[in-house]
Amino acid sequence: MSFAKASALTINKKLSGHFLILLLLSVAIQLWPVLFTQPVRFAVRIALCNVFLLLAAAAVYRYLPGKIIAFILTALLTLNFAIAFSTWNVYQSEFNTVFAMSILATHLAEAKSMSGLYLRSIPVVLGYFFVTWYAIKSLSENLSGRMKTLGVILLVIYVGWYSTANWLKKRKDLEVYYPLSARILTNTPFYTGAEFIIAHRDSALAEKISQKNVHYPALQYQDTGIENYVVIVGESARRSNMQLYGFNQETTPVESAFKQNALIFNHAIAPASATVLAVPMILSKADPDNFTADRLADNIVSIARKTGYHTEWISAQGHSGKSNNYIVAIASTSQKAQWINTQYDTELLPALDQALTVPGKKFIVLHINGSHEIACDRYPPSASVLNSGDKFEDCYNNAIRYTDFFIGEVAKRLQGSASSILYFSDHGLEKNPQLESLYMHGSRNPSKEAYDVPQFIWYSQKALDSQKRQLGWVQENWPTTHNYELMLSWLGISTGIENCHSLLETCYQGATLLPVMDGGRHIFDYDQLRDTFSSPARDTPWRKAKANSL
């Protein structure tokens, strides 16, 4: 007998002798992220179902088909753990629908860029796989047939009980938002799969957005004297890290020079802490309480096209299908939509140059990567200007500065014409000193940092010469969910409905409520959130969206 085979047999024998320890260890590792993010009752359900699953796998393990089943089960359990553990490890959050939508909508370049955040999880994930595999193997070899049969029976009873209970709930419409299959999976160690089911359902619903025809009482266009309107949808930009807003480093030299030609919002507040929800609400009539297909269909891209604008969507953020999420559904209502595989945002500029050659009035959206994690990948080495010695702080601030450079390049192309730029970030980021890369998306128990964003409207000199424009600083809180109404006025569009949410209208009325949504679709009052991630945690009250929300 070879040394390797003898060693393997010795290891197998030792492991088999500790089958109960392996069983408990496997379950404990699976519960690791659960205990930090979910109620105790949820952890108990997952633990029970996990034990029953391992016992059932042990019951069939001795046969070849059983070994295949055990391997597939172990792989699926490992995948669930990998997703949940990585989310908790990086974001200190449970895995939720927004994360699932982001994964379904991601592209290869973004996946490569983000992979660095999750590399440190790999040893733990691999360890879990082998512990679980040997737990099943040792249980098969050491438990009596009666115990293994009992495990199968308990698993059937458990799944049957929760399936029936959730089916009855569904019949009574107590869980309208959640598909039945998602509710059932939530009670198993495959609970992350529930979020993917919801995300896939949401992606299918997003297709309805482009199919709906919104009626306006009296759609009209009034000449604004501006030929080119460009909207730059930023990504993950913290207002507090921008020189324009008083930051102590030169992160926005271009934007800071815009002050005389711009309307700058000092307290812009995003509606959600993730792109897949924030951008659709900013560009449409949807809001955290009313996230419906009808309201998403009433979006600024569609209405600009209906009033005679040539509309283009140019994105550095990839997509996995024409209806993969709400953003793509809105983008697809434009006359031309393109997703460009870029390394840096400046690679969108040739497409912008081409769009600007189209005659007549134009409405162009540039959706950039900005300072999205990992920020070190968002700019070329030549743009590494800020060097304080703190790598990830410098990476983030240099990414903000590179976005500033990109905005400057767009402005250069527009300066000789009557043009205007609206820039805003989709959401902010929280600063977590315990995280190596420092900055992260807000999710569970968010702070105001997750929603505090920059926003301004810039006018070229020719645009300023043609008509009087509103310039200066807007000091009051501005929910970017009102950007739809703001852009209607900016573009000279009237729908026949009074537009008093627009700062540019004489009837303007400021916002009294500032609802914001976290990654789990809980709705908070912005004013009740803690100021920063490092502020003392508080039990902030929240509510669910209205029953007809997606």
Side-chain angles (χ1 to χ4, degrees), residues 206-217:
E207 190 171 358
K208 295 181 180 179
I209 297 171
S210 56
Q211 296 173 348
K212 289 186 177 292
N213 185 25
V214 182
H215 172 71
Y216 304 98

Side-chain angles (χ1 to χ4, degrees), residues 250-380:
E250 292 187 357
T251 53
T252 58
V254 173
E255 293 160 73
S256 298
F258 280 173
K259 289 180 182 179
Q260 301 304 315
N261 288 26
L263 178 66
I264 306 169
F265 295 76
N266 204 31
H267 297 288
I269 299 163
S273 58
T275 306
V276 291
L277 293 175
V279 172
M281 286 191 276
I282 295 170
L283 298 178
S284 75
K285 288 199 74 173
D287 59 50
D289 285 298
N290 301 281
F291 196 86
T292 63
D294 288 341
R295 289 193 174 226
L296 290 166
D298 189 356
N299 63 75
I300 196 64
V301 178
S302 175
I303 200 170
R305 181 175 182 177
K306 288 179 180 180
T307 50
Y309 279 91
H310 171 77
T311 54
E312 287 203 27
W313 184 284
I314 304 169
S315 177
Q317 300 208 10
H319 70 117
S320 57
K322 282 292 178 185
S323 299
N324 72 320
N325 59 43
Y326 309 114
I327 300 174
V328 175
I330 290 175
S332 297
T333 64
S334 63
Q335 285 162 292
K336 184 178 181 180
Q338 52 184 318
W339 287 265
I340 300 172
N341 185 18
T342 65
Q343 184 174 9
Y344 306 119
D345 289 329
T346 47
E347 293 168 43
L348 298 182
L349 293 173
L352 173 63
D353 291 336
Q354 183 65 33
L356 290 173
T357 64
V358 177
K361 59 183 189 287
K362 295 171 281 295
F363 179 76
I364 303 166
V365 180
L366 300 172
H367 192 189
I368 64 175
N369 281 316
S371 41
H372 189 283
E373 298 117 312
I374 296 175
C376 301
D377 296 337
R378 301 303 172 197
Y379 57 90

